[in-house]
Amino acid sequence: GAGVSQSPSNKVTEKGKDVELRCDPISGHTALYWYRQSLGQGLEFLIYFQGNSAPDKSGLPSDRFSAERTGGSVSTLTIQRTQQEDSAVYLCASSLGTAGTEAFFGQGTRLTVV
Amino acid sequence: QQQVKQSPQSLIVQKGGISIINCAYENTAFDYFPWYQQFPGKGPALLIAIRPDVSEKKEGRFTISFNKSAKQFSLHIMDSQPGDSATYFCAASRAGNNRKLIWGLGTSLAVNP
């Protein structure tokens, strides 16, 4: 596709359930980022993938959060045992790599935990 | 601790006026300073970016002014239009830190017709 694609656009889940959020980056982009955008909190970094290197997981808020990137392309962010404080917009971005600093964002997945 | 501080939180400007949003940063290792524009329901989109080796960058109606000694940078929107109404985020990143963006909290801009 022409841009970063995320699915689903919206997700409502019950507290305690697991959710999977998907990101399809721009073709050829080796770097992929997940950010979380909470009301009043701004955007916070969650995790970073670059090629075949070990991911930078330093932003993941708890061990309930995990992510993988298969084949250097599609990424899935998984939240286990969701809590109400996980409600936020989850944004995925991709870039050409550390030298290509412009990050292109998807439209995000709005997660609501009820 | 907020590494990138953005102000104001909200801004109302008349059509044709100048919108000014300010950001200050702490870490002198930052070497890339983008501004993103976000419309409701959309992801942020890069508007304009600057590196610390220049003091000003202009693209159309949008200008970044950068003051390295003061560790501050600002976005100026000239001839503001109602279509500019959006949330604007400043951010910063550095090499060696995976280029992850450190964000300001955003400024909600409303341009009145």
Side-chain angles (χ1 to χ4, degrees):
Chain A
V4 177
S5 178
Q6 291 187 245
S7 60
S9 297
N10 286 282
K11 177 73 176 178
V12 180
T13 190
E14 292 182 352
K15 178 181 172 180
K17 300 284 188 182
D18 298 352
V19 295
E20 284 189 353
L21 313 180
R22 177 188 168 103
C23 173
D24 205 338
I26 293 172
S27 178
H29 280 192
T30 59
L32 186 148
Y33 302 81
W34 283 97
Y35 290 88
R36 179 168 69 175
Q37 185 173 25
S38 304
L39 201 60
Q41 299 295 318
L43 287 90
E44 59 176 322
F45 166 79
L46 296 178
I47 189 168
Y48 163 78
F49 296 92
Q50 170 59 42
N52 295 320
S53 301
D56 175 355
K57 305 179 182 180
S58 60
L60 295 178
S62 77
D63 58 8
R64 297 186 295 104
F65 288 72
S66 64
E68 62 177 19
R69 188 179 185 190
T70 54
S73 182
V74 171
S75 177
T76 302
L77 176 69
T78 301
I79 309 173
Q80 295 179 309
R81 305 180 302 281
T82 52
Q83 304 295 312
Q84 288 187 329
E85 61 263 27
D86 299 334
S87 296
V89 176
Y90 290 82
L91 291 160
C92 175
S94 70
S95 74
L96 285 170
T98 54
T101 48
E102 179 175 357
F104 295 83
F105 283 81
Q107 84 282 6
T109 294
R110 179 174 296 279
L111 175 66
T112 304
V113 182
V114 297
Chain B
Q1 180 183 3
Q2 192 71 25
Q3 292 190 57
V4 178
K5 296 181 180 179
Q6 183 172 348
S7 63
Q9 185 175 351
S10 63
L11 182 62
I12 300 175
V13 174
Q14 292 300 118
K15 179 182 176 181
I18 302 173
S19 304
I20 302 174
I21 305 171
N22 300 299
C23 282
Y25 62 97
E26 297 287 330
N27 191 340
T28 55
F30 288 142
D31 63 358
Y32 176 70
F33 302 89
W35 284 90
Y36 278 82
Q37 179 188 56
Q38 186 177 31
F39 293 104
K42 304 292 186 182
L46 180 67
L47 193 60
I48 187 172
I50 198 168
R51 293 190 180 274
D53 53 346
V54 297
S55 60
E56 185 175 282
K57 183 175 181 180
K58 183 176 181 179
E59 289 183 2
R61 296 184 293 110
F62 301 92
T63 299
I64 298 180
S65 296
F66 186 83
N67 185 330
K68 188 174 180 178
S69 61
K71 295 188 288 185
Q72 294 175 347
F73 58 110
S74 61
L75 176 69
H76 295 231
I77 306 174
M78 312 300 287
D79 187 27
S80 299
Q81 299 297 312
D84 296 332
S85 298
T87 300
Y88 292 81
F89 292 93
C90 63
S93 74
R94 62 180 176 89
N97 196 31
N98 296 326
R99 285 291 171 198
K100 52 191 173 191
L101 292 165
I102 309 301
W103 299 79
L105 293 181
T107 296
S108 177
L109 171 66
V111 181
N112 290 333

